[in-house]
């Protein structure tokens, strides 16, 4: 496995006291492994000079003139002895069925891997590069190019002979060629050219930036990102060129395509290889560093593989890894190479004595890195999101590792909470965790997260936790008893444990309440009720309702009322069929204040249900609730008035006595009490209005005539019931009456108001009468239908004769009664205006006038 040193990025953070830099390590984007198996043996005896990658296999050339075909794991599948000297380049077509090889001694071989038929030629000069047409296997695309001192194109014609065409020469040795679709890009000592094989035109010439670098020592790296985007790396310069179609309207002598440089930037180190990774680039750098000891001597450092994001005039570094390849101290820039597999994101770093494979990290690698950095929560989240794609990890195992990490850190509550999610329905894992938490003394932490639904642990587990709480935390114990279903544990065992603790502390309210709940779970409701009543616990009413314990509380009504009168009375009244009114009254007879509360609410609900206790209620109201006595006397129809009057007179309850006297018909005595004892003229006037008795008004005036304040009250209020003149005439002369002027003004205003109201009512009455009269007149003017079905009201014969041709007379009244004229009395015996005999006999109104036909 290749050793990779991940370069950290440093970020500085400022605080109020000082600033410091901390290394913020980022996750690498790639993972590395050394290509072994057959490759290891080859490179022990030989050295790699070049390599070409296909999706299905690899082709490795060596310095001793051998070519090896390898599988993806590095195992040798085929071997070719090509030359005694260095293999300069190997080229494969897209199908992987044809290979082109060139060597330092001028040999060029192009053949099929399965046929060995092809091109074999020896040149008198070294051939540095060879490139097959990507579709070389097609009969129409039997083309390849070679590069040495010149670039030559070889094509097989229809006679099966190879035709040679020189594409370029005279600018030094050609060191690199990349063929993509119809475009050939090559580099020589001057720069990079692109040739369009379809139009047989050279379309660009990109000059190299640093001419001082030797092309043979710092060769150009070429990479087609796609079929129209070429990436050029030379020295420390990177250029990205886009091949575009030219507008046909431009000058005709120019090529149909042109090249636009869309990005150009410099790098820190020398470029040894390039490869595409989406919209990013993978760059292999040859690194020289200054020695710390001599300060002036450079030494060869480990090569770097960076992922960069190109920008128009710069680049952004995404990741950077230094690679420890074998014998890196002896290698030059030209000794390294970078090849990539287009089928998947695999990058091969080639050096004379080592081949390292870089690949994109998958989700398993991401989780490995998070676990290595102890980022367990992020690892668990990543595994849950990508559980379908991970192969080497299991979500549950990662979760258990996270729980272990939290326990080691002492974060017991967080660890316990994660158990619920991680352990799921695995009972064995749950019980193991419970025992582990018991060992470290943290059972309380895991208690609230134990499964209590479909999955349940053994009862002993829950009992163990309850006993732990019972030792030190009564409140926590009570909470668990309330939250846990009663069938999770052995109820009798827990009840016995609580009873043992109560022997030491018999008045502990928390334990008593919990014991009552345990009794409830065990359906021993009588014991639970006894404890609740002892504690005056708010849940006692819920317990009674839920489990229908009314028979058990018949002798405990006073206790319930002492605890909460309102709830107790509501419960008793809601369940009269289970506890009768008589039973409740019997129980409360020694507690009259409680009996009053019960009977009062009963009366509010129904005025008749407790009618036999209404006499008793009079004294109860008088004693405990006088404000409600008068409403009770008004609403009750079963209350004995003499008894009520006696009690009210004994206690000097004037208002109640007045009401009772008026109800018993003694209105004069009632009015006298209002005037003499209450001295309230307004109440007296109101009482007189209610009774509407002229004699009562006379008594009121007589009593008030010598009391100026009472006269003022009468003047202000009696205008609509008694003629104020009667009162004014009886006022003594020279008597000073407060606010007399205002009272007289009010009387006049009231009188005017009455006159206005009368006039208004008269106008309305006249208008309505006229409207109705007109309506009646319109109604009576309408025609009346007479047909064969109508009969004479006198003779009861059909009103119309059978022979309508004869003359006949019919009288129809507005009341719709019809007569033959002959059947009516003669005009000499009746008044001039005739009326319907039937309606006249019934004394009907003007609607019975005659209408003769």
């Amino acid at each position: 496995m290749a050793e990779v040193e991940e370069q950290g990025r440093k970020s500085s953070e400022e605080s109020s006291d000082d600033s410091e830099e901390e290394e913020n390590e980022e996750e690498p984007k790639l993972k590395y492994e050394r290509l072994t198996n057959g490759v290891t043996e080859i490179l022990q005896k030989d050295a790699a000079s070049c390599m070409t990658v296909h999706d299905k296999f690899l082709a490795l050339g060596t310095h001793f003139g051998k070519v090896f075909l390898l599988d993806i794991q590095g195992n040798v599948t085929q071997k070719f002895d090509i030359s005694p000297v260095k293999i300069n380049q190997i080229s494969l077509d897209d199908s992987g069925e044809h290979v082109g090889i060139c060597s330092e001694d001028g040999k060029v071989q192009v053949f099929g891997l399965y046929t060995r038929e092809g091109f074999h030629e020896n040149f008198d000069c070294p051939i540095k590069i060879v490139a097959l047409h990507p579709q070389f296997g097609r009969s129409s695309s039997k083309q390849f190019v070679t590069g040495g001192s010149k670039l030559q194109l070889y094509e097989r014609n229809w006679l099966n002979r190879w035709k040679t065409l020189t594409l370029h020469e005279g600018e030094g040795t050609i060191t690199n060629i990349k063929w993509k679709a119809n475009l050939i890009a090559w580099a020589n000592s001057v720069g990079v050219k692109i040739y369009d094989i379809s139009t047989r035109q050279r379309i660009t010439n990109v000059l190299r930036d640093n001419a001082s670098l030797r092309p043979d020592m710092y060769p150009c790296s070429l990479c087609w990102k796609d079929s129209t985007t070429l990436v050029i790396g030379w020295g420390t310069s990177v250029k990205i060129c886009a091949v575009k179609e030219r507008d046909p309207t431009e000058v005709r002598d120019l090529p149909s395509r042109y090249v636009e440089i869309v990005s150009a930037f410099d790098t820190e180190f020398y470029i040894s290889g390039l490869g595409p990774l989406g919209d990013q680039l993978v760059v292999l750098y040859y690194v020289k560093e200054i020695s710390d000891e001599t300060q002036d001597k450079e030494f060869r450092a480990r090569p770097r593989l960076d992922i960069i994001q190109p920008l128009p005039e710069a680049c952004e570094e995404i990741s950077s890894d230094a690679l420890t390849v074998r014998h890196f101290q002896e290698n030059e820039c030209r000794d390294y190479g970078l090849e990539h597999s287009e089928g998947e994101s695999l990058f091969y770093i080639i050096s004379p004595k080592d081949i390292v494979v870089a690949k994109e990290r998958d989700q398993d690698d991401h989780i490995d890195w998070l676990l290595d950095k102890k980022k367990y929560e992020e690892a668990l989240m990543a595994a849950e999101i990508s559980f379908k794609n991970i192969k080497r990890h299991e979500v549950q195992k990662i979760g258990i590792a996270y729980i272990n990490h939290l326990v080691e850190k002492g974060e017991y509550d967080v660890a316990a909470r994660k158990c619920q999610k991680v352990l799921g329905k695995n009972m064995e894992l749950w019980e193991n965790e419970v025992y582990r938490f018991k060992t470290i003394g943290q059972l309380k932490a895991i208690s609230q997260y134990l499964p209590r639904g479909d999955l349940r642990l053994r009862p002993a587990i829950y009992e163990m936790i309850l006993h732990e709480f019972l030792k030190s935390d009564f409140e926590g114990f009570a909470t668990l008893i309330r939250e846990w279903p009663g069938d999770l544990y052995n109820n009798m065992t827990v009840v016995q444990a609580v009873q043992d603790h109560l022997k030491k502390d018999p008045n502990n309210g928390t334990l008593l309440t919990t014991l009552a709940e345990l009794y409830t779970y065990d359906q021993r409701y009588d014991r639970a009720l006894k404890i609740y009543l002892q504690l005056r616990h708010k849940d006692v009413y819920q317990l009674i309702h839920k489990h229908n314990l009314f028979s058990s509380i018949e002798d405990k009504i006073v206790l319930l009322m002492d605890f909460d009168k309102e709830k107790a009375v509501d419960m008793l009244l809601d369940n009269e069929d289970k506890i009768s009114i008589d039973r409740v009254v019997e129980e409360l007879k020694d507690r009259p204040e409680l009996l009053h509360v019960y009977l009062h609410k009963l009366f509010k609900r129904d005025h008749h249900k407790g009618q036999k206790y209404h006499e008793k209620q009079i004294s109860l109201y008088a004693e405990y609730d006088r404000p409600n006595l008068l409403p009770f006397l008004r609403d009750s129809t079963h209350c004995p008035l003499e008894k009520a009057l006696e009690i009210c007179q004994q206690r000097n309850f004037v208002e109640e006595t007045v009401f009772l006297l008026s109800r018993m018909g003694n209105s004069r005595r009632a009015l006298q009490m209002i005037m003499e004892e209450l001295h309230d003229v307004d109440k007296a006037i109101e009482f007189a209005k209610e009774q509407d008795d002229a004699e009562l008004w006379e008594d009121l005036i007589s009593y008030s005539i010598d009391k100026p304040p009472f006269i003022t009250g009468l003047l202000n209020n009696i205008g609509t019931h008694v003629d104020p003149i009667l009162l004014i005439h009886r006022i003594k002369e020279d008597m000073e009456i407060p606010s007399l002027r205002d009272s007289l003004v009010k009387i006049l205003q009231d009188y005017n108001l009455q006159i206005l109201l009368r006039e208004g009512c008269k106008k309305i009455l006249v208008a309505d009468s006229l409207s109705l009269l007109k309506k009646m007149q319109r109604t009576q003017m309408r025609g009346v239908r007479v047909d064969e079905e109508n009969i004479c009201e006198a003779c009861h014969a059909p009103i119309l004769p059978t022979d309508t041709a004869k003359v006949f007379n019919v009288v129809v009244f507005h009341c719709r009664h019809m007569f033959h004229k002959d059947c009516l009395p003669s005009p000499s015996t009746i008044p001039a205006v005739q009326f319907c005999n039937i309606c006249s006999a019934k004394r009907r109104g003007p609607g019975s006038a005659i209408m003769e036909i």
Side-chain angles (χ1 to χ4, degrees):
M1 190 76 176
E3 298 174 23
V4 180
E5 182 180 297
E6 299 167 356
Q7 303 295 322
R9 296 180 181 177
K10 297 182 179 180
S11 61
S12 60
E13 297 179 353
E14 294 185 357
S15 65
S16 58
D17 300 326
D18 55 3
S19 61
E20 61 180 3
E21 292 185 355
E22 296 181 353
E23 187 173 344
N24 183 20
E25 190 171 11
E26 292 186 359
E27 181 182 359
K29 302 296 182 183
L30 301 172
K31 63 178 179 179
Y32 303 88
E33 61 181 9
R34 181 169 277 118
L35 196 60
T36 56
N37 298 323
V39 173
T40 303
E41 184 179 349
I42 293 170
L43 298 185
Q44 285 176 349
K45 302 175 183 178
D46 204 339
S49 60
C50 62
M51 191 173 84
T52 297
V53 177
H54 190 269
D55 293 345
K56 301 176 183 177
F57 62 92
L58 313 175
L60 174 66
T62 69
H63 280 265
F64 290 171
K66 307 286 192 298
V67 173
F68 297 91
L69 299 186
L70 314 168
D71 60 19
I72 302 301
Q73 285 74 36
N75 299 302
V76 178
T77 58
Q78 278 185 279
K79 175 184 175 183
F80 303 104
D81 289 321
I82 302 298
S83 170
V85 295
K86 173 185 174 184
I87 301 296
N88 284 330
Q89 181 64 34
I90 303 172
S91 176
L92 297 169
D93 65 352
D94 289 348
S95 66
E97 297 179 358
H98 296 83
V99 61
I101 304 170
C102 64
S103 59
E104 191 67 24
D105 60 359
K107 284 186 179 179
V108 176
Q109 294 189 22
V110 179
F111 56 87
L113 292 175
Y114 307 108
T115 62
R116 294 306 302 271
E117 295 181 2
F119 179 88
H120 300 273
E121 188 68 52
N122 291 326
F123 294 91
D124 54 3
C125 62
I127 302 298
K128 297 294 185 180
I129 201 81
V130 64
L132 302 185
H133 190 292
Q135 304 297 326
F136 187 86
R138 293 184 180 180
S139 59
S140 60
S141 303
K142 298 292 186 182
Q143 298 173 316
F144 68 90
V145 291
T146 60
S149 58
K150 55 186 175 181
L151 179 69
Q152 290 187 303
L153 172 66
Y154 292 85
E155 297 179 285
R156 177 177 284 180
N157 59 22
W158 63 279
L159 293 174
N160 210 25
R161 294 180 181 178
W162 291 99
K163 182 179 70 172
T164 305
L165 175 64
T166 300
L167 300 181
H168 187 73
E169 62 181 331
E171 291 184 355
T173 303
I174 295 170
T175 56
N176 200 349
I177 300 176
K178 292 294 180 182
W179 194 331
K180 187 74 170 180
N182 291 323
L183 299 175
I184 304 172
W186 72 91
N188 56 27
S189 302
V190 176
V192 176
K193 280 77 174 171
I194 300 178
Y195 184 82
D196 188 344
I197 195 70
S198 61
T199 61
R200 304 287 174 152
Q201 290 179 311
R202 195 175 73 185
I203 59 177
T204 192
N205 179 20
V206 182
L207 298 177
R208 67 180 178 133
D209 292 335
N210 193 345
S212 63
L213 294 176
R214 290 175 53 185
D216 58 329
M217 297 298 294
Y218 298 92
C220 176
S221 296
L222 299 177
C223 165
W224 284 103
K225 196 171 182 181
D226 54 48
S227 58
T228 59
T229 305
L230 176 68
V231 185
I232 304 171
W234 207 333
T236 59
S237 172
V238 176
K239 293 179 180 177
I240 301 178
C241 306
V243 179
K244 300 184 177 181
E245 296 290 338
R246 194 183 299 277
D247 189 344
T249 61
E250 294 184 16
V251 182
R252 297 182 179 177
D253 294 339
L254 296 176
S256 61
R257 296 184 179 185
Y258 69 98
V259 171
E260 179 181 335
I261 298 177
V262 296
S263 178
F265 52 88
D266 289 330
T267 61
E268 185 179 358
F269 305 108
Y270 298 107
I271 298 168
S272 292
L274 297 166
L277 183 63
D279 60 345
Q280 299 170 345
L281 288 178
V282 178
V283 185
L284 178 64
Y285 289 123
Y286 169 68
V287 182
K288 284 187 176 182
E289 295 182 353
I290 304 295
S291 173
D292 293 336
E293 298 176 359
T294 61
Q295 295 297 322
D296 58 353
K297 185 177 180 181
E298 290 186 336
F299 68 95
R300 298 161 184 162
R302 290 176 296 175
R304 277 179 37 172
L305 191 69
D306 286 12
I307 299 176
I308 63 173
Q309 178 67 57
L311 303 173
E313 297 181 357
C315 68
E316 179 184 352
E317 183 181 290
I318 306 300
S319 71
S320 179
D321 300 325
L323 310 178
T324 304
V325 299
R326 294 190 181 102
H327 304 292
F328 67 88
Q329 303 90 339
E330 303 171 5
N331 295 337
E332 297 285 350
C333 182
R334 63 184 177 183
D335 295 325
Y336 292 108
L338 179 68
E339 295 290 336
H340 71 279
S341 172
E342 295 184 0
E344 51 184 318
S345 298
L346 292 175
F347 298 90
Y348 294 83
I349 298 95
I350 302 106
S351 67
K353 289 296 183 179
D354 206 357
I355 299 175
V356 175
V357 185
K359 62 176 68 175
E360 280 192 287
R361 297 170 64 85
D362 56 20
Q363 200 64 18
D364 283 299
D365 300 316
H366 174 58
I367 294 172
D368 282 335
W369 185 84
L370 292 172
L371 293 175
D372 186 57
K373 300 302 177 186
K374 298 189 182 303
K375 298 182 179 181
Y376 293 96
E377 186 173 10
E378 295 178 34
L380 180 59
M381 188 181 301
E384 289 172 343
I385 293 173
S386 306
F387 71 95
K388 292 183 179 179
N389 299 324
I390 55 177
K391 300 176 181 177
R392 294 186 284 106
H393 293 94
E394 295 179 15
V395 174
Q396 192 172 67
K397 289 183 178 180
I398 297 171
I400 293 173
Y402 183 26
I403 294 171
N404 296 337
H405 172 69
L406 292 171
V407 170
E408 291 173 5
K409 288 174 63 179
E411 297 181 13
Y412 304 113
D413 290 336
V414 181
R417 186 166 62 250
K418 290 298 177 185
C419 287
Q420 202 170 23
K421 182 178 182 181
V422 171
L423 304 183
K425 297 187 177 181
N426 191 317
M427 188 171 74
E428 182 180 354
L429 290 177
W430 266 110
E431 295 191 354
N432 291 340
E433 285 300 322
V434 172
Y435 283 119
R436 180 168 72 158
F437 273 74
K438 181 181 187 306
T439 303
I440 60 179
Q442 293 295 329
L443 274 178
K444 291 182 180 179
I446 201 172
S447 61
Q448 58 182 316
Y449 303 108
L450 290 182
R452 61 188 84 164
D454 296 338
L455 174 70
R456 298 192 174 186
L457 309 182
R458 290 181 293 112
I461 300 293
Y462 301 100
E463 292 167 17
M464 177 176 66
I465 293 175
L466 289 173
H467 284 296
E468 181 70 22
F469 272 90
L470 196 54
K471 291 177 185 177
S472 58
D473 185 0
F474 293 154
E475 292 294 337
F477 174 76
T479 301
L480 290 183
I481 293 297
R482 281 194 298 271
E483 292 179 353
W484 285 0
D487 55 351
L488 287 179
Y489 46 84
N490 187 321
N491 198 63
M492 292 302 299
T493 303
V494 179
V495 167
Q496 186 61 49
V498 175
Q499 289 174 338
D500 292 342
H501 277 77
L502 283 172
K503 290 176 183 177
K504 305 173 187 176
D505 186 6
N507 296 320
N508 189 299
T510 302
L511 287 182
L512 285 170
T513 303
T514 309
L515 181 60
E517 292 175 357
L518 290 168
Y519 281 141
T520 302
Y521 295 150
D522 206 29
Q523 298 184 359
R524 289 186 281 180
Y525 304 120
D526 53 340
R527 296 191 180 187
L529 180 62
K530 181 179 180 181
I531 294 174
Y532 277 141
L533 289 172
Q534 175 187 341
L535 296 175
R536 301 168 71 91
H537 196 278
K538 62 182 178 61
D539 290 343
V540 64
Y541 301 103
Q542 181 181 351
L543 179 71
I544 295 169
H545 273 293
K546 187 174 181 180
H547 302 292
N548 197 20
L549 303 179
F550 296 99
S551 60
S552 302
I553 64 168
E554 288 185 350
D555 57 345
K556 301 179 178 64
I557 294 174
V558 175
L559 287 174
L560 290 169
M561 293 281 284
D562 282 336
F563 174 38
D564 190 326
K565 298 183 186 67
E566 297 297 325
K567 283 189 176 180
V569 170
D570 286 340
M571 180 187 71
L572 292 170
L573 293 178
D574 290 340
N575 297 275
E576 291 177 26
D577 56 328
K578 298 167 184 171
I579 301 181
S580 68
I581 297 173
D582 296 337
R583 176 64 177 173
V584 176
V585 172
E586 178 66 23
E587 286 293 317
L588 296 177
K589 65 183 180 180
D590 296 329
R591 295 290 300 276
E593 75 279 8
L594 300 180
L595 178 60
H596 165 68
V597 174
Y598 174 76
L599 291 176
H600 173 65
K601 279 213 167 188
L602 175 63
F603 181 74
K604 285 292 184 183
R605 288 198 179 193
D606 191 324
H607 294 347
H608 306 288
K609 275 191 176 179
Q611 60 185 17
K612 66 180 181 179
Y613 300 109
H614 283 196
E615 180 178 350
K616 187 176 187 62
Q617 280 186 269
I618 299 170
S619 57
L620 292 174
Y621 276 112
E623 182 68 28
Y624 301 107
D625 189 10
R626 184 190 170 185
N628 282 314
L629 175 57
L630 186 57
F632 170 74
L633 295 173
R634 284 198 180 104
D635 295 338
S636 173
T637 58
H638 308 284
C639 173
L641 298 180
E642 294 82 0
K643 178 69 174 177
L645 181 61
E646 179 186 348
I647 293 173
C648 291
Q649 287 177 338
Q650 288 174 356
R651 294 177 177 267
N652 198 27
F653 291 169
V654 178
E655 291 187 15
E656 291 81 355
T657 302
V658 168
F659 169 76
L660 290 169
L661 288 171
S662 66
R663 191 166 178 181
M664 295 170 71
N666 197 349
S667 301
R668 282 192 167 186
R669 176 61 185 148
L671 180 63
Q672 183 182 355
M673 287 191 70
I674 295 173
M675 301 296 289
E676 293 178 353
E677 298 188 29
L678 295 180
H679 304 288
D680 189 341
V681 66
D682 293 330
K683 189 177 287 293
I685 293 170
E686 189 66 31
F687 181 76
K689 288 180 181 179
E690 289 177 0
Q691 301 302 318
D692 196 19
D693 186 349
E695 293 182 1
L696 207 59
W697 280 109
E698 181 65 26
D699 291 342
L700 178 56
I701 293 171
S702 299
Y703 182 83
S704 304
I705 202 65
D706 58 348
K707 300 176 181 63
F710 279 34
I711 293 174
T712 302
L714 286 170
L715 289 173
N716 288 333
N717 291 283
I718 69 171
T720 56
H721 294 79
V722 178
D723 188 354
I725 299 298
L726 298 176
L727 176 60
I728 294 171
H729 282 319
R730 296 178 64 175
I731 298 173
K732 296 178 181 179
E733 293 185 4
D734 299 328
M735 179 182 284
E736 291 187 7
I737 300 173
S739 305
L740 177 60
R741 178 178 175 275
D742 295 337
S743 298
L744 294 174
V745 169
K746 186 175 186 300
I747 290 173
L748 293 174
Q749 288 176 341
D750 291 345
Y751 179 75
N752 288 333
L753 180 61
Q754 289 181 14
I755 297 300
L756 290 173
L757 286 173
R758 287 178 181 177
E759 291 179 354
C761 291
K762 181 179 179 181
K763 288 180 181 179
I764 294 171
L765 179 61
V766 171
D768 287 350
S769 299
L770 182 59
S771 174
L772 292 172
L773 184 60
K774 290 180 178 179
K775 183 177 180 181
M776 185 184 72
Q777 194 260 346
R778 286 196 304 270
T779 304
Q780 291 181 346
M781 291 296 290
R782 293 175 182 169
V784 177
R785 179 183 178 84
V786 179
D787 54 25
E788 296 81 0
E789 295 180 0
N790 298 110
I791 61 173
C792 174
E793 297 292 340
C795 67
H796 301 292
I799 198 71
L800 297 178
T802 54
D803 185 5
T804 56
K806 293 181 179 180
V807 177
F808 64 94
N809 291 315
V810 174
V811 178
V812 179
F813 291 91
H814 291 297
C815 60
R816 301 300 188 266
H817 289 134
M818 302 179 187
F819 299 87
H820 295 127
K821 188 174 182 179
D822 296 338
C823 295
L824 287 174
S826 62
S828 60
T829 63
I830 60 173
V833 179
Q834 289 188 353
F835 293 94
C836 173
N837 295 339
I838 297 173
C839 293
S840 296
K842 295 180 180 178
R843 296 182 180 179
R844 291 193 178 177
S848 57
I850 191 170
M851 181 174 63
E852 187 174 343
I853 301 177

